[in-house]
Amino acid sequence: MTINHPNFGAMDEKRVIIFDTTLRDGEQSPGFSMNIDEKLRMAEALAALGVDVIEAGFPIASPGDFESVNRIAQSIRGPVIAGLARSAPNDIARAGEAIRPAERKRIHTFISTSPLHMKYKLRMEPEAVLEAVGKSVTLARDFTDDVEWSAEDGTRTDMDFLCRCVEAAIKAGATTINIPDTVGYAVPEDMERIFSTVRERVPGADRVIFSTHCHNDLGLAVANALASLKGGARQIECTVNGIGERAGNASLEEVVMAIRTRQDSNPYVSQIETTRLLRTSKLLSTVTGFDVQPNKAIVGRNAFAHESGIHQDGMLKNAATYEIMTPESVGWQKTSLVMGKHSGRAAFRDKLNALGYGDIGDNALNDAFARFKLLADRKKVVYDEDIVALVDDEVVRSNESIKFVSLEVWAGSKDKPRARLELEVDGVVKTADERGDGPVDAAFNAIRAVFPHMAELQLFSVGAVTEGTDAQARCTVRLAEEGKSVDGQGADTDTIVAAVRAYIHALNKLVTKRARTAPEALSA
């Protein structure tokens, strides 16, 4: 059986649409805000990864959200570009305007359907919600033929009412129906049963694509997403690294590799280029300032590591004894000596292409190459990981309003440490000379002197990109201000410089987050 979809044509029953919401639901995670340029770079990476739909944001939320969705719609070709909207006419009109330039576009509109949400969140009677479903989808169809409708808190919704709402959405012209596990309450049996029941009971269900959106509050998001496929869903909404509200969403890389690896249980196909999974994961970590945990499936640094003697013996005899997929299939490469201080610009560009940076412009290339030469002078051995850390630190953040220029530090056991710092703030170079309890404290005091702010430092941690005493340090800094928290990362062979770069990264993210406002609440 096939479904004719306005953006995907005739859909084979084994085809699974990968709907990525890293830039919308993922960005709602505490501390995970991105500026417009970072969102554009992530959108480019998602398009190269092969995702089918990019949910670019929530246009009504703020002018910045609208602009980021609109710019992604203008510049990204390939994936469908979706904007989120509640059932309010202003939301839908704003989303329609934001996605207008897209080659392929979608409005994703939603309303709560569970008794708890209708009573306490919406303060609406069920019949009023049912009426809003039809009106919102009808209005969205004025902007695009591809309309997705979602039943917020769908897994805690009365089945009879859920079926009525889905029927109303289909009659109004929805082409995709999403039944999300909004609060991560469901177990796999629930998901399969819900989708099977709705598809059996609702007239016209065979004409639309059903979608699943699972949260990870009980650690079941990926399992629930896969169970939804067994119930008839053919779109999975997920995020890179599983980021998202509270405990996060279903992890894109885990869902995709579970389908690819266990065809006996999940006989479906996606269009994801799996060798780009690791690169995309690392880019997101750099942009958001959040590293994945070492034991994270697929993209954690221990995902293909073997320390047990028994495991190592088995691996030497046959890798399949302890690996169910190859590291190369998701983008891992063996650490190798790749470049040195005598390497030229052409070799550097070739290396960047091999590492997945083929799309950076000449100016960005020159900036990265200049920093690489400085790094090569200071390090005996330059690894792929060093170049990735360097380029992400230099290129991904090239459009920030606060930029690192230089740092000098005087420290020792006799006098109080001192830091002299130069920053470029909105194109103007500013200098501060401050002291502190240690060299890092002195440097951070200098940042506050150049760019005054009241943010509280909640976390400061240091790790190494590679091994050796000359390894680049990767620092993480968390800042909090008025209930908003952000993480920043920085890398350098000098730990104090890495710390300053991390602090500046976090500060730029905080400035971006200050401008973001929540949309007005819906009322009955």
Side-chain angles (χ1 to χ4, degrees):
M1 182 183 69
T2 60
I3 296 171
N4 285 309
H5 187 277
N7 264 322
F8 295 105
M11 285 276 297
D12 185 87
E13 62 179 352
K14 293 186 180 298
R15 170 87 151 85
V16 174
I17 293 170
I18 300 299
F19 176 113
D20 181 272
T21 185
T22 301
L23 301 180
R24 200 280 300 170
D25 198 332
E27 206 220 1
Q28 291 176 198
S29 308
F32 278 71
S33 61
M34 300 176 229
N35 63 35
I36 292 173
D37 292 302
E38 289 169 338
K39 284 190 173 185
L40 277 169
R41 185 159 181 81
M42 276 305 306
E44 290 166 357
L46 292 170
L49 182 64
V51 303
D52 299 290
V53 183
I54 296 175
E55 188 166 51
F58 191 6
I60 197 71
S62 72
D65 281 62
F66 174 88
E67 185 181 355
S68 62
V69 175
N70 190 247
R71 283 184 58 184
I72 289 170
Q74 291 175 37
S75 61
I76 301 300
R77 294 294 177 261
V80 174
I81 306 302
L84 185 69
R86 297 167 301 182
S87 60
N90 288 345
D91 278 45
I92 293 169
R94 192 69 168 155
E97 185 180 354
I99 65 169
R100 183 180 299 158
E103 176 186 51
R104 304 162 71 202
K105 57 180 74 72
R106 172 182 296 187
I107 289 178
H108 179 193
T109 184
F110 71 97
I111 192 168
S112 297
T113 55
S114 70
L116 189 65
H117 277 221
M118 288 189 292
K119 181 177 180 180
Y120 293 103
K121 177 185 173 182
L122 297 181
R123 301 184 186 278
M124 294 172 69
E125 294 297 320
E127 292 304 315
V129 169
L130 186 63
E131 182 180 2
V133 171
K135 287 184 175 179
S136 62
V137 173
T138 299
L139 179 58
R141 283 296 300 259
D142 289 341
F143 297 92
T144 175
D145 291 337
D146 188 356
V147 176
E148 176 174 342
W149 177 78
S150 287
E152 185 177 13
D153 205 21
T155 57
R156 296 193 297 178
T157 297
D158 172 76
M159 181 56 72
D160 289 337
F161 184 65
L162 179 62
C163 287
R164 291 178 67 197
C165 288
V166 171
E167 183 176 2
I170 293 174
K171 283 183 177 179
T175 52
T176 300
I177 300 294
N178 181 38
I179 304 175
D181 186 26
T182 304
V183 295
Y185 177 76
V187 296
E189 303 92 286
D190 295 332
M191 301 305 294
E192 183 175 358
R193 172 181 50 80
I194 289 170
F195 281 99
S196 295
T197 302
V198 172
R199 291 178 67 245
E200 288 170 1
R201 290 177 50 177
V202 175
D206 59 336
R207 302 195 305 270
V208 300
I209 294 169
F210 279 85
S211 177
T212 183
H213 178 118
C214 301
H215 279 265
N216 205 39
D217 298 73
L218 294 176
L220 295 171
V222 171
N224 283 341
L226 296 175
S228 301
L229 297 181
K230 296 183 185 300
R234 287 299 180 268
Q235 176 178 282
I236 294 179
E237 304 190 5
C238 46
T239 60
V240 176
N241 294 345
I243 69 171
E245 294 269 19
R246 304 180 312 280
N249 289 264
S251 164
L252 183 152
E253 57 274 8
E254 294 176 23
V255 163
V256 167
M257 292 309 294
I259 291 173
R260 173 172 165 161
T261 305
R262 289 300 307 272
Q263 280 285 294
D264 57 328
S265 178
N266 307 300
Y268 314 109
V269 294
S270 79
Q271 303 299 308
I272 296 297
E273 175 54 61
T274 63
T275 57
R276 288 183 171 269
L277 288 171
L278 180 65
R279 177 75 222 108
T280 310
S281 167
K282 287 186 174 182
L283 175 62
L284 181 65
S285 293
T286 299
V287 166
T288 61
F290 280 78
D291 282 327
V292 298
Q293 69 268 28
N295 62 330
K296 167 77 167 65
I298 315 298
V299 294
R301 69 172 182 263
N302 289 350
F304 295 93
H306 304 274
E307 187 167 319
S308 161
I310 295 174
H311 286 210
Q312 290 174 346
D313 178 65
M315 285 292 297
L316 290 170
K317 293 173 178 174
N318 187 327
T321 56
Y322 288 103
E323 285 184 352
I324 59 173
M325 66 194 91
T326 66
E328 293 78 12
S329 69
V330 299
W332 285 100
Q333 297 178 355
K334 292 182 179 179
T335 298
S336 60
L337 176 62
V338 290
M339 302 285 285
K341 64 182 181 180
H342 299 297
S343 299
R345 185 177 276 98
F348 185 67
R349 184 188 287 275
D350 287 343
K351 173 51 64 176
L352 293 188
N353 286 333
L355 293 173
Y357 293 100
D359 57 345
I360 71 172
D362 289 339
N363 289 337
L365 174 69
N366 291 336
D367 291 342
F369 182 68
R371 191 169 167 196
F372 160 73
K373 296 295 278 187
L374 292 174
L375 175 65
D377 280 336
R378 288 184 286 173
K379 270 182 66 64
K380 297 175 183 177
V381 178
V382 180
Y383 294 101
D384 286 358
E385 292 90 341
D386 289 313
I387 295 178
V388 168
L390 178 152
V391 175
D392 284 346
D393 202 50
E394 187 70 31
V395 176
V396 175
R397 303 167 193 166
S398 60
N399 294 305
E400 293 178 332
S401 60
I402 308 168
K403 298 180 181 179
F404 174 81
V405 177
S406 69
L407 174 68
E408 293 179 276
V409 174
W410 295 266
S413 60
K414 292 184 177 180
D415 295 325
K416 200 169 188 180
R418 174 185 161 206
R420 186 178 185 278
L421 176 70
E422 285 186 310
L423 298 181
E424 182 183 310
V425 181
D426 294 325
V428 179
V429 176
K430 300 182 178 182
T431 304
D433 197 321
E434 298 289 329
R435 293 186 180 272
D437 291 334
V440 172
D441 186 50
F444 287 0
N445 287 340
I447 295 175
R448 295 187 190 94
V450 171
F451 191 89
H453 58 278
M454 299 300 294
E456 176 189 355
L457 178 64
Q458 290 191 329
L459 171 71
F460 171 63
S461 68
V462 182
V465 175
T466 56
E467 69 275 7
T469 57
D470 63 350
Q472 287 192 92
R474 183 188 290 279
C475 293
T476 300
V477 164
R478 179 174 299 155
L479 299 178
E481 179 184 75
E482 297 180 353
K484 299 175 181 178
S485 64
V486 293
D487 277 25
Q489 286 190 337
D492 197 272
T493 53
D494 187 311
T495 303
I496 312 302
V497 173
V500 168
R501 288 184 179 276
Y503 197 112
I504 294 169
H505 183 214
L507 200 54
N508 276 290
K509 291 165 68 67
L510 194 61
V511 170
T512 299
K513 207 160 192 175
R514 284 174 180 171
R516 186 162 295 147
T517 56
E520 295 180 2
L522 280 178
S523 57

